[in-house]
Amino acid sequence: MKLVTYLHDGRESVGLLEADSVRPLPFADMNALIEAPRAQLEAAVQAAGAALPLSTVTLLAPIPRPRQDVICLGINYRAHADESTRYDAAAFGGERPVPIYFSKRVSEAVPPQGYIESHLGLVERLDYEAELAVIIGRTARNVAAADVADYIFGYTVLNDVSARLLQTTHKQWYFGKGLDGFTPMGPCITAADEISFPPALAISSRVNGEPRQDSTTDLLITGIADIIAELSSGMTLLPGTIIATGTPAGVGMGFDPPKFLKPGDVVECSIENIGTLRNTVR
């Protein structure tokens, strides 16, 4: 089951994504769908409305306006840790005995075909990060690692767009990661029961057609079970909470010389069994 938020005739709705169409579902938005009892969702899927051709709708981010900041992990693939240290040892080097968590402010997530804002005059060294994002399906507090899979609603693709100079200058990452237009997400949420846990999915990115990142999501330093168990030990994770699990090697700052983004560049982030984000920098 793949779920989307879309625009049709000026109205924002949620639906079931099929090969070349969308079937409407009777929920106010994606957060309401996620919170619905499983039996209600399954009944709604069985009774979904008439199919709308994909050519007649505009896909939005699956959760266009998250209720809370996105929770992110930094430096969560070893090869990315190495390239980050090469770029700026003072900012990214050193031992990391525990995960790095930070939050990403998202007033409105960027649609799968939307625009990444370059923020000319404010941002230098604009970068991309393809990431697997986990969507929490029910209230999670003090969840054991062995039980985490039961709390996951599904997965989506997230591009953790980053302003590297802001990120390193401020010594923490909130400003450099949380600007408007910095969170492309989608194209859909793939239900958790369609993906084996823990996910071992191909993840990649391309810029203007050039391959950049190429890895698999089973190479996380801190796995999804440990992430959610640790976070839920001290905070309540509500349904619809989005957790971005980190990015593999191949980001712009990892090249010599670096390959940062500029207006007009097209960034594609793909994850197996979910889909591709294709966003243009403006």
Side-chain angles (χ1 to χ4, degrees):
M1 181 169 60
K2 297 182 187 298
L3 300 162
V4 294
T5 299
Y6 65 94
L7 282 177
H8 180 68
D9 289 340
R11 179 181 177 184
E12 185 176 310
S13 304
V14 295
L16 180 68
L17 179 65
E18 298 180 332
D20 56 2
S21 64
V22 175
R23 296 173 62 202
L25 295 172
F27 298 94
D29 58 23
M30 190 63 74
N31 280 318
L33 185 155
I34 292 169
E35 289 181 334
R38 184 71 183 190
Q40 181 183 346
L41 174 57
E42 291 175 352
V45 168
Q46 291 297 317
L52 301 169
L54 270 179
S55 60
T56 68
V57 306
T58 300
L59 293 184
L60 303 178
I63 304 177
R65 290 164 293 279
R67 290 175 173 168
Q68 299 173 304
D69 286 358
V70 174
I71 300 172
C72 301
L73 274 86
I75 318 294
N76 202 29
Y77 288 76
R78 296 196 186 281
H80 177 56
D82 293 340
E83 71 177 357
S84 300
T85 300
R86 288 195 301 270
Y87 173 73
D88 189 332
F92 298 111
E95 296 296 321
R96 286 175 289 272
V98 296
I100 298 172
Y101 295 111
F102 63 96
S103 62
K104 187 173 181 77
R105 186 171 184 81
V106 186
S107 298
E108 185 164 357
V110 177
Q113 297 282 338
Y115 291 95
I116 296 168
E117 298 292 341
S118 60
H119 294 277
L120 294 175
L122 172 64
V123 170
E124 298 179 36
R125 306 178 191 174
L126 185 67
D127 213 344
Y128 55 89
E129 295 187 359
E131 305 203 8
L132 175 69
V134 180
I135 314 296
I136 297 295
R138 59 191 178 104
T139 301
R141 183 68 193 268
N142 294 321
V143 178
D147 298 328
V148 160
D150 296 334
Y151 287 79
I152 297 174
F153 179 81
Y155 304 91
T156 193
V157 185
L158 186 146
N159 183 352
D160 179 18
V161 179
S162 305
R164 296 301 185 194
L165 189 57
L166 288 179
Q167 180 185 5
T168 56
T169 298
H170 284 268
K171 307 302 180 186
Q172 49 74 34
W173 301 354
Y174 190 72
F175 190 37
K177 298 270 195 174
L179 300 182
D180 293 344
F182 268 26
T183 312
M185 191 191 311
C188 66
I189 295 173
T190 298
D193 59 7
E194 292 197 7
I195 294 175
S196 297
F197 186 85
L201 306 172
I203 179 171
S204 62
S205 67
R206 300 167 68 90
V207 178
N208 302 326
E210 177 192 356
R212 295 288 180 88
Q213 296 174 280
D214 184 11
S215 188
T216 57
T217 61
D218 56 337
L219 295 178
L220 298 174
I221 295 172
T222 302
I224 293 168
D226 290 332
I227 291 168
I228 293 175
E230 181 168 60
L231 289 172
S232 71
S233 69
M235 65 174 68
T236 300
L237 304 177
L238 298 175
T241 296
I242 302 165
I243 303 173
T245 57
T247 199
V251 301
M253 71 176 179
F255 290 88
D256 185 15
K259 296 182 177 182
F260 293 120
L261 300 174
K262 60 186 183 303
D265 285 347
V266 176
V267 185
E268 296 172 286
C269 298
S270 301
I271 298 181
E272 179 184 4
N273 292 346
I274 302 174
T276 297
L277 296 172
R278 188 178 188 275
N279 303 104
T280 302
V281 181
R282 68 177 180 186

